[in-house]
Amino acid sequence: MRRIIRKALTLLSVYYAYMLEYRAEMILWVLSGSLPIIFMGIWIQAAQSGRLKLTPVDFARYFLAVFIIRQFTAVWVIWDFQREVVEGKLSPRLIQPLDPVWHHFASHVADRFARLQFTLVLIILFFLLYPQAFWIPSWGNFLLFVLSVILAFILRFLIQYTFAMFAFWTERATALENLWTLFYLFLSGIIAPLEVFPEVVREVLLWTPFPYLIDLPANILIGLPVDLGRGFLALLAWIFIFLGVNRLLWRMGLKHYSGMGA
C-alpha cells in the first residue's frame, strides 16, 4: 500500500509541476468557466418579478456554486486520448506497468490543485462585487458538497473517457463529446437551476446522470433542499455503469488498435 501511495504522489507531483508551467493558460481556462456568472445576471433579473421559487440572492449563490463546481469537474481526457490513438502515442504507454488512464487521471487531479488559487481570487472578487450574496455554508453541507463534487468529477471523467474509447474505431471521437455537451449544458443545471424546470421534466432528468453533475452539488452548497440519499446513490450507480462500459470498450478497442502513426 505504501508503494502505491508513493507512486501516486510522485505521479501527481510530476503533473502538478507540468501544470504550473502554463500559469497564463491556466488563468484563461479558469476564466472560460465563468459562463454561469453570465447566466446569473439573466436569472437575477427574472427573479425580481417574484414569480420564481428562488430569490435573486439564491440565484447569485447558485451560479457561484456552479462556477466553483465547473472548476473542479472540468475534463479534457477525450482530446488527449484521441490524439494518442491517432498518432500512435498510446503504444509506449501500453508496455508500461500502469494503465494509461492513471496518467490522464493524475493530470486532471493536479490541475484541480493548480487552478485552486485563481478560483479563490475570483470567488473573493465575486463577493466584493455582490456582497449581499455572501454566506458561509455549514460544515455538514460543505463536507457533503466536497464529496458530491469528487463523485461528480469521477463520473464526468468516466463519461468522457468512455466516449474516448471510440477513438479506436473513429478519428473523430470528440464529436460524441460535442453532442453530449449540448445536453450537459442545458440539463445539468449550468444554464438554469433544475428548480425552474417543470415538475415532469425534473422527474425525467433525475433518471439521467445530468442533474448529479452540477445541480446536486450546487444545491447542497447553498443549502437548498435535496434528496441526499437518492443523489449519492445515483452518482455511485452511474459511476459503476460507465466504469463497466468503459472497461468493456477498452478491451475491445485494444484488439482493434494497430498503433498507426507511431
Side-chain angles (χ1 to χ4, degrees):
M1 181 60 68
R2 290 182 179 178
R3 291 181 59 187
I4 294 176
I5 294 176
R6 186 166 60 250
K7 290 179 180 179
L9 292 176
T10 301
L11 197 62
L12 286 173
S13 63
V14 169
Y15 280 106
Y16 179 74
Y18 176 77
M19 292 296 172
L20 291 181
E21 292 181 3
Y22 301 92
R23 290 185 179 89
E25 183 180 353
M26 183 70 63
I27 295 175
L28 293 177
W29 277 113
V30 172
L31 292 175
S32 69
S34 60
L35 178 65
I37 305 301
I38 299 174
F39 288 109
M40 179 192 73
I42 299 174
W43 284 105
I44 285 178
Q45 290 295 323
Q48 290 177 353
S49 65
R51 299 176 182 177
L52 300 176
K53 296 181 180 179
L54 302 181
T55 66
V57 171
D58 289 333
F59 277 109
R61 292 174 177 175
Y62 176 86
F63 282 106
L64 174 64
V66 172
F67 167 76
I68 297 171
I69 295 164
R70 291 195 70 199
Q71 297 304 318
F72 292 100
T73 59
V75 178
W76 61 87
V77 62
I78 190 169
W79 285 273
D80 289 347
F81 188 83
Q82 177 178 272
R83 184 175 62 254
E84 290 179 355
V85 173
V86 172
E87 298 178 2
K89 295 180 179 180
L90 180 64
S91 301
R93 289 192 171 182
L94 292 177
I95 61 177
Q96 297 177 4
L98 183 69
D99 192 307
V101 67
W102 294 113
H103 288 279
H104 298 295
F105 190 79
S107 69
H108 281 67
V109 174
D111 172 81
R112 308 301 95 123
F113 290 101
R115 68 171 64 195
L116 180 60
Q117 54 187 323
F118 305 116
T119 303
L120 289 175
V121 170
L122 290 177
I123 293 173
I124 294 173
L125 179 61
F126 173 86
F127 286 131
L128 290 176
L129 296 175
Y130 203 80
Q132 57 267 45
F134 181 79
W135 91 106
I136 299 177
S138 66
W139 273 109
N141 281 0
F142 179 75
L143 293 177
L144 287 172
F145 168 74
V146 172
L147 178 59
S148 66
V149 169
I150 292 174
L151 293 177
F153 162 64
I154 294 173
L155 176 56
R156 182 84 174 91
F157 182 89
L158 280 172
I159 291 172
Q160 194 176 106
Y161 194 54
T162 299
F163 291 152
M165 295 297 104
F166 288 94
F168 287 119
W169 294 275
T170 175
E171 296 182 359
R172 292 294 179 267
T174 51
L176 290 172
E177 171 62 18
N178 292 334
L179 178 61
W180 169 271
T181 301
L182 291 176
F183 293 96
Y184 171 68
L185 288 174
F186 284 96
L187 304 179
S188 65
I190 293 177
I191 292 180
L194 266 63
E195 189 65 30
V196 303
F197 284 34
E199 182 67 28
V200 176
V201 176
R202 288 204 304 270
E203 286 300 321
V204 173
L205 288 179
L206 289 176
W207 293 97
T208 71
F210 297 109
Y212 310 105
L213 296 171
I214 297 292
D215 192 75
L216 174 69
N219 288 336
I220 291 175
L221 182 62
I222 67 177
L224 291 179
V226 291
D227 188 339
L228 293 175
R230 179 173 183 172
F232 282 102
L233 285 176
L235 274 170
L236 292 173
W238 283 111
I239 285 174
F240 282 112
I241 289 172
F242 276 98
L243 179 61
V245 175
N246 179 275
R247 293 296 86 185
L248 176 63
L249 291 176
W250 170 256
R251 289 192 293 269
M252 294 172 59
L254 285 181
K255 295 177 181 178
H256 191 269
Y257 177 64
S258 60
M260 294 182 63

